[in-house]
Amino acid sequence: MNIPDPIIRQLIEQARKDAPNETCGYLLGTADGTVTENYWMENIDHSPEHFAFAPRDQFAALRYAREHGLKILANWHSHPASPSRPSAEDLRLANDPAIRYAILSLLDDEPRLNSFAIINGKVTDQEKHL
């Protein structure tokens, strides 16, 4: 998956704005795996340790992607105070093997962005983006 620098900057800005809580959204893009948009969604858990998409935002994101001919390439969220790797909860909740799971860490004020393919609760691939 290719995430252009301007999109990465948007993710970092959103994560810092919403810290100390996790922030979340979808990365939308083209069939070749290029991210063209960050679709932010409210973390209705308002928690520094986990997230849940607002259902209204999730439905709106699906509708938006369909209307604009985009694919959901990844589910993304931030880890304000932990590394850019899936937690046990992240692995348990990763239910769609067709998308990647991107995690932006703000640990030690040094942003790190990785994305993962997760199948049946196991990481099968990792890409470093930042």
Side-chain angles (χ1 to χ4, degrees):
M1 181 171 65
N2 175 29
I3 309 174
D5 288 342
I7 303 275
I8 291 173
R9 285 193 296 274
Q10 285 178 9
L11 301 181
I12 293 169
E13 181 180 315
Q14 188 64 50
R16 286 181 172 155
K17 178 181 172 211
D18 288 350
N21 293 332
E22 290 189 1
T23 194
C24 54
Y26 280 145
L27 297 178
L28 308 177
T30 58
D32 71 353
T34 300
V35 174
T36 58
E37 296 186 43
N38 163 37
Y39 195 101
W40 175 83
M41 290 188 269
E42 179 187 359
N43 174 2
I44 59 173
D45 287 346
H46 304 285
S47 168
E49 297 173 357
H50 52 89
F51 75 98
F53 293 141
R56 72 180 182 284
D57 292 345
Q58 197 168 15
F59 288 120
L62 294 169
R63 190 170 37 256
Y64 178 87
R66 197 172 322 129
E67 289 170 356
H68 291 86
L70 299 171
K71 295 180 64 80
I72 295 171
L73 300 177
N75 161 331
W76 83 273
H77 70 282
S78 63
H79 280 182
S82 60
S84 176
R85 64 175 178 248
S87 66
E89 181 175 281
D90 294 335
L91 293 172
R92 183 175 56 79
L93 296 175
N95 295 318
D96 187 348
I99 66 171
R100 296 189 69 78
Y101 293 85
I103 299 173
L104 173 67
S105 170
L106 297 179
L107 184 63
D108 300 326
D109 253 357
E110 189 67 35
R112 296 279 182 249
L113 178 63
N114 295 309
S115 69
F116 307 86
I118 301 173
I119 300 173
N120 296 324
K122 303 236 184 297
V123 172
T124 61
D125 177 67
Q126 176 180 345
E127 293 178 350
K128 294 184 181 206
H129 303 283
L130 175 67

